Amino acid sequence: MCGRLAAYLDGPATVTLRRPPPLATPLAVDADTDGSVRARHGGALVAEAEPARDGATLCVPDTVSAAEARAAEGRARYFQDPLYPACFVCGIRRGSGDGLRIFAGRLPGRDVWAAPWAPDASLADGSGRVPSEIVWAALDCPSGIAAIDAADLGDDAAVLLGRMTATVAALPAVGDECRVIAWPLGRDGRKLMAGSALLGAGGEVLAAARAVWLTVPRSGCGMPVEEAS
């Protein structure tokens, strides 16, 4: 959802989710004179995007090799009992060619989570590259998993994405041996902050994001997320 709405803007963008987006449902998108756009379902505001006042930096606090990313894959407590096993990004029920299958795990002794990712042909646009909204998706769940693990949330707690700011410098091509990394940025009450980045085969930073996640009861994951503001 974030990347799809951000695609209406040029350059780094900040997307704020006001309520969980309905799935497989058309949304109305309207633009404002200040350059922002809003997505609505009926009369309800679902999300809004605006040019980022302070785009996510393409510098990362720690780098991860391809071998380290492969070794860390799936090593997160979240995957022991995933709340969203069919998630397009991190769903363990997704087979090859169906979704992104990015399973970020923690590197031993480091506050960094990582996973390998080679974009499938099913994700490509007409140029053979992955569109920006897919890159946004790749940056999404890994930061949430890092935030959950770092905060050591109990089994009765979950998180919802409240806000995401991303900068996309380059788009990966199908089959590129990329890796996604994520790291916690702190906590403020119910808000968990985390960063994430997409690295190319040579370790170059293709895109980066920072996100605000809201802690909720595991049974309340359908609640509105206005508290991101």
Side-chain angles (χ1 to χ4, degrees):
M1 173 67 193
C2 288
R4 186 67 188 89
L5 196 57
Y8 285 89
L9 307 178
D10 293 324
T14 296
V15 179
T16 303
L17 298 176
R18 296 305 183 183
R19 63 190 63 249
L23 301 179
T25 302
L27 301 177
V29 177
D30 58 79
D32 206 335
T33 55
D34 63 0
S36 63
V37 295
R38 295 172 179 82
R40 303 179 188 275
H41 182 223
L45 177 63
V46 175
E48 51 194 334
E50 60 183 357
R53 300 185 183 90
D54 180 18
T57 177
L58 292 175
C59 296
V60 297
D62 198 355
T63 191
V64 175
S65 69
E68 288 173 324
R70 288 192 296 270
E73 187 175 22
R75 294 180 55 179
R77 186 165 59 91
Y78 172 79
F79 293 111
Q80 297 173 15
D81 183 22
L83 183 59
Y84 302 110
C87 174
F88 177 72
V89 180
C90 66
I92 61 175
R93 292 181 185 169
R94 296 273 182 165
S96 180
D98 178 23
L100 305 192
R101 292 177 51 81
I102 298 175
F103 310 128
R106 188 173 188 173
L107 276 71
R110 295 160 67 181
D111 281 335
V112 180
W113 282 250
W117 181 48
D120 186 80
S122 62
L123 304 170
D125 59 17
S127 70
R129 294 194 173 273
V130 173
S132 63
E133 52 262 41
I134 296 295
V135 173
W136 273 71
L139 295 170
D140 184 335
C141 293
S143 74
I145 289 169
I148 290 170
D149 274 8
D152 195 24
L153 296 183
D155 293 339
D156 60 344
V159 296
L160 291 174
L161 181 62
R163 176 175 292 126
M164 185 173 177
T165 297
T167 300
V168 179
L171 301 173
V174 168
D176 282 356
E177 295 295 331
C178 301
R179 47 212 185 260
V180 181
I181 65 173
W183 55 94
L185 290 173
R187 181 171 189 171
D188 181 10
R190 292 183 55 235
K191 297 179 182 180
L192 306 180
M193 285 69 75
S196 57
L198 175 63
L199 307 183
E204 67 277 18
V205 181
L206 304 180
R210 61 178 183 270
V212 177
W213 295 84
L214 303 175
T215 60
V216 297
R218 192 177 174 100
S219 60
C221 287
M223 66 183 293
V225 293
E226 283 88 348
E227 291 187 30
S229 295

